Each structure stands twice: as structure tokens, then as C-alpha cells.
Amino acid sequence: MSRVHDMGGRFGDGPVRPDAPNAPVFATEWHARALAVTLACGALGQWNIDTSRHAREQLSPIDYTRFSYYEIWLAALADLLVHKGVLSEDDLAGQGSDAPHPLAEKRLTADAVAGVLAKGGPADREGGPEPLFVEGQAVRTRHPGGNRRVSGGHTRLPTYATGATGRILRLHGTHVLPDSAAHGLGEAPEPLYAVVFPAGELWSHPENPEDEVVLDLWQSYLELV
Amino acid sequence: MPHDHSDHPHALLPPDPALRVKALETILTRKGLIDPAALDEIIDTYQNKIGPQNGARVVARAWSDPAFKDALLADADPVLAGLGYSGRQGEHMVVVENKPAQHNMVVCTLCSCYPWPLLGIPPAWYKSDAYRARAVREPRAVLADFGVSLPEGTRVRVWDSTAEVRYLVLPMRPKGTEGLTEDQLAILVTRDSMVGTGLPRSPEGKT
């Protein structure tokens, strides 16, 4: 049921290696270009953040594992451009036409960059269902997890936290539901909560039973205990 | 020649990542879908204008101004917007305060959510499998990888930032900083201290 990106709590990874002091923002020039090309393509307006996350998660486990971070971005971007009809497979193979593209008028120009980055893409929405839970209430995450609408689809409930009991820490307001928005099924906004779980509820051998993990979870991921 | 074990469209591009991004940039530029000058502008922004220095200024101000700190902890978005620190990948911010009894630490196990307007582009370790896998299960062992150990009796609260909400840790103000100005305090605030994998520098220059 879980997919390769859903790695919270996994065993077998080695030490975390902090970077050297004063390490550059981009380790190589192509990292910087990969980030910039991805952001510039996002400005064409053909997908949302949940769609692009889903595209990265859709990579085969063998690709996801062997690719470095920006290689994952690049692969997902190329796949999205074709799946959304912006480019053809012939284009990617270097055999496409140079005819003017219908989306060219949406191209992000240099003078618009600062405004676009400053605006961002807020995901809070008016309306949607009323909040069912209040601060301090005990809730359980649904089990099994996974996207309820699309088999193998995008969701933001990590596998390590399915079926776990925690309590509502705070309400973040009403936000777009990624399980729906990632698949072109509408924004379906829902109340979003920070839910706190004792470490012992999530791990059979917690490092310290006093420790806690907080997850941001949509209302439909939760049920009252 | 190595090839992608994949039938995804990306396998049509050259396997070497530097050539792959070059090829994609060339195709998109030829079709008028991207403007190379806009790419340069994006890179310049994250290389030179947006980075942990923004978050450090916010922390230093919170250390110096109790009313600002209260407002920041209560509802960060309008406070940060007022300073010009909002926007892409920081649309919804929550600031969490470290205290002697509780150390906060941020991870995104499903991808790499991170508060870009305050900290810039995340470092490689934040996006690594090891950090994403281990931070929620053994935060103290991960802190040890960073050379950080916490006093007895400090609870660790890990924020798995899996939603649109991004978290910033407000570290504890180091001892011996009573007379310092905001600018002097900001120098002590490290990026890692705002993710929770580090502590601020002490005024004597020790970390």
C-alpha cells in the first residue's frame, strides 16, 4: 500500500550528513537550472502543487531511489509536461516542431518573477464542511490509509501514522484537499488540523516515551475516538 | 550507455542530469514556454535575496520585542507578510517556540516542505532519505548526527510538515546576549537552529 516516497520511520538509512559550513545554495549549476525550469513551467498554470507532488511520487521506485533530489524534480517535470499535453514525446526526443506554442503567451517573464514568487499559492479556502473536532479532542487516523478516491493516488497521511490515536493540537483553517486536487477532481476544501501523537503510539520502541510527533491532517483522515 | 528502467516520458531525455536539464530548457525556450532571463532571475532570488538571513531577522526581533514575539506565535502570517517574508512555499506559516521542557524539530517525511521565504531553498540533508526516514522515529539520534544533545527532561516534539503549512522553530535566546542589538543577535541565529537540528551560536563564538 505504501509508495516509495512514504519513508517516515523506515529502518536502514545511514547517518544524516550535515552540509559543510557555507555550503552554496546550489551544489552545481544544473541544480539551480532544474529548480528554475520547474518553477517557470509551474507558472504556465497547467498543474497545481499537489499534481506535481503526485508526479514525483509516481516515479518507479527504482528511479526514485537512485535519482538525486533535483533529478526527481526533472523527471517528474518531463512526465507532467507530456501528460498535460504541453510537450509531446517527440518534443522530448528532440524531434518536435518549433512552431509557436499556444501556451507561449503565459510564459513567465523576468520582470514578473518577483511578483509571482511573492504571491505564492495560498491553499486556504472559504466554505467547505464545518470543523468536527476541537482542540484537545482525541482522534484516530483512518486505517487503512491511502487515497479514498483514486487507487494508488496522492494522499498526505503517511503510512506510519495510519490507525494511530492522537489529539487535536490546533485547527489551521480550511484548506484544499490534496487527495482531490492532485487528480483534477476539484479542490474539495476541508478543515486541516495539527494532530499530536505520543512517540509510543507510533513506534514499538520509541527513543523516549515523552517525545511526540505532530502531523497536519485533513478532517476526512480522522475519526473521533 | 546507461538507460532508464522506465517507460515514463522522462526516459526520452538524456540520462545525465546536467544534459537533461539543458535539453529540457532548450526545448521549452525554443517553443517560447520559458524565458531564460526569468530563470536567471529565479536563481538570483534564491541565491542572493531569500535565505536564512530572513528567518534570523525574525528570530532576533522576537528575542528583542515581546509584543512582536506574542503576535508571531499567535498568528505568524500577517506578521511575516508585514515584513515582506511571505509568498511561495511559505503561504501558511506557524512558528513554534523552544523552551527548556520542549525542543521542536521540523521534517517533511513525504517530500521536503520547508519555509522558503524565511530560510530559502532547503539544504541537501533536509531532503535526504536518511533525514526524512529517521527524524520522526529517532529524533535524538538524528540530533546527535548534528552534534546536538539535549538536557535531561527535554521533550522532543517533531513536526512532520506534510501539509501546506510550513513551520519555523523559534530557538531559545542564548545566555549572555542581554545587551545585544537585533543585528548582533541575528548573527547568532543559524539556519539549523530554525529547523531544530541545531542551536543558536553563543556570543563567544562557540556553537
Side-chain angles (χ1 to χ4, degrees):
Chain A
M1 126 100 60
S2 73
R3 304 211 325 236
V4 62
H5 71 285
D6 184 0
M7 60 182 72
R10 182 175 75 184
F11 285 86
D13 289 281
V16 178
R17 301 187 189 285
D19 46 1
N22 303 316
V25 174
F26 300 108
T28 71
E29 166 68 15
W30 75 261
H31 286 185
R33 302 308 283 182
L35 175 116
V37 171
T38 304
L39 265 52
C41 286
L44 295 170
Q46 303 303 295
W47 55 78
N48 58 46
I49 188 167
D50 301 308
T51 322
S52 56
R53 283 175 176 153
H54 180 63
R56 290 169 197 159
E57 297 163 6
Q58 281 288 96
L59 294 176
S60 68
I62 196 167
D63 279 348
Y64 194 96
T65 319
R66 74 197 172 100
F67 281 167
S68 65
Y69 183 75
Y70 285 113
E71 285 177 88
I72 290 174
W73 274 40
L74 273 178
L77 175 62
D79 292 346
L80 263 181
L81 285 165
V82 171
H83 288 146
K84 296 292 179 186
V86 179
L87 296 181
S88 67
E89 295 202 348
D90 282 348
D91 289 328
L92 289 192
Q95 294 149 6
S97 86
D98 283 345
H101 196 285
L103 288 175
E105 66 192 33
K106 296 194 168 198
R107 175 175 75 164
L108 178 66
T109 54
D111 59 348
V113 165
V116 167
L117 296 182
K119 184 160 168 272
D124 55 331
R125 296 291 183 270
E126 298 290 327
E130 288 298 309
L132 289 177
F133 311 120
V134 296
E135 208 177 298
Q137 227 166 12
V139 289
R140 187 161 39 233
T141 58
R142 67 188 190 196
H143 181 84
N147 188 312
R148 289 283 167 99
R149 305 174 185 213
V150 178
S151 178
H154 178 70
T155 187
R156 299 295 283 178
L157 173 60
T159 301
Y160 77 82
T162 61
T165 299
R167 71 186 154 79
I168 302 286
L169 196 61
R170 62 184 288 165
L171 171 64
H172 288 307
T174 299
H175 287 246
V176 173
L177 178 68
D179 306 48
S180 183
H183 301 283
L185 301 173
E187 293 193 329
E190 282 186 10
L192 174 69
Y193 304 89
V195 184
V196 60
F197 300 89
E201 176 71 15
L202 302 173
W203 320 112
S204 48
H205 299 277
E207 249 188 342
N208 184 319
E210 300 299 312
D211 292 346
E212 297 170 331
V213 175
V214 181
L215 280 156
D216 287 334
L217 301 170
W218 276 261
Q219 185 155 286
S220 60
Y221 296 0
L222 301 170
E223 59 192 27
L224 205 56
V225 173
Chain B
M1 180 179 124
H3 64 282
D4 267 293
H5 299 273
S6 164
D7 54 4
H8 289 59
H10 67 78
L12 295 162
L13 291 167
D16 176 80
L19 296 178
R20 180 168 280 201
V21 69
K22 185 82 191 155
L24 204 50
E25 186 180 336
T26 304
I27 295 162
L28 291 161
T29 304
R30 250 188 10 232
K31 289 181 172 289
L33 293 169
I34 59 174
D35 171 7
L39 304 191
D40 293 340
E41 185 67 28
I42 292 169
I43 293 167
D44 178 56
T45 300
Y46 289 111
Q47 216 152 33
N48 303 312
K49 295 174 187 159
I50 298 181
Q53 68 275 12
N54 291 2
R57 283 188 207 108
V58 172
V59 168
R61 180 132 183 229
W63 284 346
S64 310
D65 179 346
F68 176 85
K69 180 174 131 179
D70 289 347
L72 185 71
L73 293 173
D75 186 5
D77 290 339
V79 177
L80 296 171
L83 296 171
Y85 299 149
S86 53
R88 191 185 169 88
Q89 314 287 42
E91 293 90 348
H92 309 291
M93 285 293 313
V94 170
V95 179
V96 292
E97 184 185 15
N98 281 353
K99 293 182 174 176
Q102 179 169 305
H103 179 86
N104 297 286
M105 189 170 148
V106 184
V107 62
C108 172
T109 63
L110 294 176
C111 45
S112 55
C113 298
Y114 190 79
W116 288 21
L118 290 165
L119 298 184
I121 302 295
W125 60 259
Y126 187 84
K127 302 178 282 198
S128 69
D129 286 12
Y131 187 71
R132 288 169 51 190
R134 293 178 51 215
V136 279
R137 183 172 49 77
E138 45 177 13
R140 292 160 191 268
V142 169
L143 286 171
D145 290 342
F146 286 84
V148 173
S149 63
L150 299 173
E152 288 268 328
T154 301
R155 172 175 69 187
V156 178
R157 181 179 268 181
V158 182
W159 300 78
D160 186 354
S161 176
T162 71
E164 312 310 328
V165 178
R166 313 288 170 121
Y167 291 91
L168 185 87
V169 174
L170 175 59
M172 287 189 288
R173 180 168 175 162
K175 292 195 171 61
T177 57
E178 289 72 17
L180 299 190
T181 64
E182 274 185 40
D183 286 348
Q184 291 168 324
L185 287 169
I187 294 169
L188 305 179
V189 183
T190 64
R191 178 195 59 205
D192 292 4
S193 73
M194 294 181 277
V195 184
T197 55
L199 301 174
R201 297 185 186 97
S202 72
E204 298 83 33
K206 292 181 231 147
T207 52

